[in-house]
Amino acid sequence: MTTSEPKPRILMVEDEEDIAFLIRFLLERQGFEVEHAPDGRRALELLSDISPVNLALLDIMLPYHDGLEVLERLRSLPAWQDVPVIMLTAKAREADVVRALELGADDYVTKPFQPEELLARLRRFMRRR
């Protein structure tokens, strides 16, 4: 990547500080720019305040608005409709996975996650864009 190319941007919606720190560290080392929302309310604000990102990572269990509400809003906005969304959450029940996929999530990763697997999934979506 040349210095003139903009870094791919990722919206990370994660309320657990330790996990958010780890993900940000991992992504920034790989050349991504990270927009972080620590809760559902801030995530909904960012959907209005920033231009669409290259990919969104959404937790489900969040304060104020859960990740499924954020996903639903994201998919309702024309500018954001094509943004790949990966759910990254501790909720592993089949019903949660099915609901997220039906609302428009592109992938679903459960915590605890393997960093290299998460990066491989991210890169897969980046290649498609």
Side-chain angles (χ1 to χ4, degrees):
M1 184 182 326
T2 65
T3 53
S4 61
E5 282 184 48
K7 291 181 177 183
R9 293 170 44 239
I10 292 181
L11 171 61
M12 170 183 57
V13 184
E14 174 59 63
D15 62 322
E16 293 180 50
E17 279 184 41
D18 293 347
I19 294 173
F21 178 84
L22 171 71
I23 294 171
R24 178 187 290 273
F25 178 78
L26 185 69
L27 295 177
E28 287 178 347
R29 275 190 44 212
Q30 296 295 315
F32 296 103
E33 182 182 317
V34 179
E35 298 274 356
H36 176 223
D39 57 55
R41 181 168 47 202
R42 181 67 185 133
L44 293 178
E45 289 170 359
L46 284 174
L47 292 180
S48 305
D49 295 348
I50 65 172
S51 60
V53 295
N54 299 93
L55 186 135
L57 275 176
L58 290 180
D59 191 1
I60 290 181
M61 295 179 288
L62 297 165
Y64 307 116
H65 301 278
D66 71 26
L68 296 175
E69 289 177 72
V70 174
L71 174 62
E72 213 166 3
R73 174 74 64 83
L74 182 151
R75 287 293 179 234
S76 75
L77 299 169
W80 287 79
Q81 284 178 352
D82 294 331
V83 172
V85 176
I86 298 176
M87 305 306 290
L88 181 62
T89 180
K91 294 189 80 145
R93 289 186 5 229
E94 181 183 21
D96 297 317
V97 177
V98 168
R99 177 101 173 101
L101 294 173
E102 285 177 346
L103 287 173
D106 295 285
D107 204 350
Y108 197 101
V109 178
T110 55
K111 296 176 190 171
F113 62 92
Q114 297 301 316
E116 286 303 316
E117 179 187 347
L118 179 62
L119 286 172
R121 290 171 184 267
L122 288 171
R123 284 191 290 262
R124 181 182 65 169
F125 287 109
M126 292 300 174
R127 280 194 302 270
R128 292 184 185 166
R129 297 204 90 204

